[in-house]
Amino acid sequence: MSRPNTEPDPWRVPIIVAQIPDTGLHRKLEASAAERQAMAGLAGLREVLLAEAEFDVVPRSGGRVQVTGSVRARIGQTCVVTLDPIESEIEEEVDLMFAPEAEARRLADLIAEGQDEEAPSEVADPPEAIVGGIVDLGRLATDALFLAIDPYPRKEGVVFEAEVTAPDPEDHPFAALKALQDNKKGR
């Protein structure tokens, strides 16, 4: 679920892992107008009208943390067929395990080594890394939102129909050769 960190994260809600109580945390998040605008720019959207998330953060053994919940958003896009502005609703469920960085790397390596390239099997994803003792719920929500965006949104009921024209029988790659051959025969 990690994306390259080339841009600053527009929506940040860091949770310090050491401060999570044994009973866990429940967090409701809502992105501000500035955060939504930055998210829209980063995702190439017309706008993000709403972005909210609700997470349960529960500590697990070995310094791990499980985050479950959902992300909801309403985004403004452009229909790829009509080029009209449209709005899309997104609702994504989240269930991720986080582990200390070294353990997350080790488990990712073990999973990569165990993969059989000829017959890929159902293998669990490695846990996400806890970086600097922090789990960033805002980034998690942003990543879930970005992954759920339809890259080719269409206005409801619109279907792309390619214009089909019958090919001209005289317009093909060998038409010039055929003309030469016809001229040769006509002599």
Side-chain angles (χ1 to χ4, degrees):
M1 182 143 208
S2 297
R3 62 185 147 93
N5 196 8
T6 57
E7 306 252 347
D9 292 321
W11 191 11
R12 299 215 29 145
V13 183
I15 301 293
I16 299 170
V17 172
Q19 294 178 353
I20 300 172
D22 292 340
T23 56
L25 297 171
H26 181 79
R27 292 286 185 262
K28 288 184 178 185
L29 316 173
E30 187 168 344
S32 69
E35 290 165 335
R36 292 191 318 267
Q37 183 179 7
M39 287 169 31
L42 193 58
L45 299 171
R46 242 187 33 254
E47 60 188 329
V48 176
L49 302 158
L50 169 77
E52 57 187 22
E54 198 167 328
F55 292 121
D56 289 312
V57 183
V58 180
R60 300 290 185 209
S61 64
R64 295 180 184 190
V65 176
Q66 184 171 16
V67 179
T68 57
S70 63
V71 176
R72 289 169 299 287
R74 187 169 51 251
I75 58 174
Q77 294 180 279
T78 302
C79 174
V80 295
V81 177
T82 65
L83 301 180
D84 291 337
I86 59 172
E87 288 184 10
S88 304
E89 298 283 334
I90 291 176
E91 186 152 341
E92 276 297 300
E93 296 297 316
V94 174
D95 186 355
L96 283 176
M97 184 66 72
F98 287 80
E101 241 179 317
E103 182 184 354
R105 255 194 317 271
R106 183 181 63 78
L107 288 171
D109 290 345
L110 283 173
I111 289 172
E113 286 175 13
Q115 290 280 355
D116 182 2
E117 290 180 23
E118 291 179 17
S121 61
E122 292 294 317
V123 177
D125 290 331
E128 296 290 317
I130 298 172
V131 180
I134 292 174
V135 171
D136 190 341
L137 298 181
R139 178 168 183 165
L140 175 58
T142 303
D143 285 351
L145 167 66
F146 285 3
L147 288 170
I149 293 172
D150 181 355
Y152 305 105
R154 291 184 185 179
K155 201 172 182 178
E156 196 169 321
V158 173
V159 177
F160 177 74
E161 293 181 20
E163 186 177 317
V164 179
T165 56
D168 179 1
E170 297 301 316
D171 184 27
H172 56 79
F174 299 107
L177 290 175
K178 185 177 183 310
L180 285 173
Q181 188 177 22
D182 289 346
N183 285 342
K184 200 174 187 181
K185 287 180 183 177
R187 274 202 230 169

